[in-house]
Every structure is written in C-alpha cells, then in structure tokens.
Amino acid sequence: MSDFIRLENIVKKFYVGQPNELEILHGINLTVNEGEFLSIVGPSGSGKSTLMNLIGVLDRPTSGSYYLDGIDVETAKDDELSDIRNRKIGFVFQTYNLIPKTNAIKNVELPMLYAGVSGSDRHKRALELMELVEMSDRVKHLPEELSGGQKQRVAIARAMANDPAIILADEPTGALDSKTGHMVMDLFHKFNEERGKTIVLITHSQELADETDRIISLRDGNIVNEEIRRTR
C-alpha cells in the first residue's frame, strides 16, 4: 500500500484578513494509504466536515500541502480538480443529496453523464450498481418514494458510478436507525474488501468507527489521537 492521501500542516481559515477571522483547522498532518478504511471522529465543531471538504477537493486549504494520488492539489487548476472530484472520488452524505424529481436509476447515472459516458453504458452500469446495493426493484422510484436506508443505498450506488478510487462518507448513517446504519456499513466493507476502495468515514459514532482500520480523533481543529484497529 502507498500514500494515497497526504495532508501536510493543513490550516483552514475563514474570513481571512477580517476582524472575525476564524481558524478551523490548525496544522493537520494525515496520511491515508491506498485501500485503507479510515474513520474520522469528533464532536460537533471539531472540524470534521471542513477536513472532509478539503480531502474531497470541494475546498482548498488556506496553507499547507495536499497530495492526492501524487497530484499537488494546491497547484492544480479548477478544471483538473473538477475532473478529480468526478472520476476519482465518490461522495456519500448524511442528507443523501438525491435529485428529488429524478428516479433512482437516473440519479445513479448522473456522474457518468458528466464524465461523458454513453447513454447505454450509463444505464447498464447503473443497473449493475443498483443490483449491487440490492435496490434492483426500486430503479424507477423517486427519492420521495424511498425510505432513508433505500435513499442512502441509491446514494452509495451513485458514489460508485465512475468507479472512484476513494469514497468519502460524511455521517452516512446519521439519519438512519442502527440496523439500517449497519447495512450501509456492510456495503462500505464490501467495496473496501472486494473492490479495494479507499474509504474515509466521518462519523460521531464510536461503534461504527470501531469497524474501520484506523480511527483519527479530531478536537478543536487538531488531531488528538490515532488508533489502529487492524492492519492489512
């Protein structure tokens, strides 16, 4: 395994140069290996989601260096970062972020549309992914016709659409009951173990974090603890 995600002395500030300047992350150093299943835990306001946005290149750090699979994110152009987000990273959010008036399979196809995949290939892969998350019987359903767990499984299928190397999951079980939450975690384990996906899980649940290879504890914008649960 190799360094896949490497953050060096990452600082993130908001309102830079203004009287109410706010520093959220205070010099984060973190390496994630290819194929690792990592969790980041911490209380609300600890900087978890800010860190997630930086790892997912949805935002840029104020200072420090970030390398993603050998690419220096700091010097990459916006169109390069957009391409990285679409092809290399799959996102799963607590609120699902499905398009309301679009059925499940069309939601799954969407990232492939942006990647320029042909209509027939998009549909074929989306069907395969819906089967993988055990949602084949719900392909034509709108999000409002699905339960929370079903929505999240569609969201996970969508995250896998372009076969990304990395899945970033921000509180993916936060809106689900514990049984459904464990079903979602089982899918992440499947993608990690059978398909070699690198997974970074943001969670407030110590129980879910205990299922991952390594736990990073964040508090007040600093990494305060690292616990290795299992080695590959």
Side-chain angles (χ1 to χ4, degrees), residues 20-67:
N20 57 340
E21 181 174 289
L22 186 62
E23 185 170 298
I24 303 295
L25 299 176
H26 313 300
I28 297 290
N29 292 289
L30 177 64
T31 297
V32 182
N33 292 323
E34 188 172 5
E36 187 174 12
F37 193 166
L38 175 90
S39 57
I40 299 173
V41 301
S44 296
S46 59
K48 299 191 303 295
S49 291
T50 300
L51 181 57
M52 176 78 146
N53 287 339
L54 295 179
I55 293 173
V57 293
L58 295 169
D59 199 0
R60 293 180 187 255
T62 306
S63 63
S65 301
Y66 175 27
Y67 299 91

Side-chain angles (χ1 to χ4, degrees), residues 151-167:
K151 289 176 188 173
Q152 197 57 294
R153 280 187 278 165
V154 173
I156 291 169
R158 182 186 58 189
M160 289 288 291
N162 288 326
D163 197 24
I166 302 163
I167 296 176

Side-chain angles (χ1 to χ4, degrees), residues 184-210:
V184 166
M185 285 296 289
D186 287 344
L187 283 173
F188 288 139
H189 284 295
K190 185 175 185 177
F191 291 136
N192 175 245
E193 293 161 13
E194 297 178 10
R195 301 188 173 219
K197 302 303 178 188
T198 303
I199 300 180
V200 179
L201 170 72
I202 303 282
T203 183
H204 64 272
S205 168
Q206 188 63 43
E207 183 183 1
L208 295 182
D210 285 342

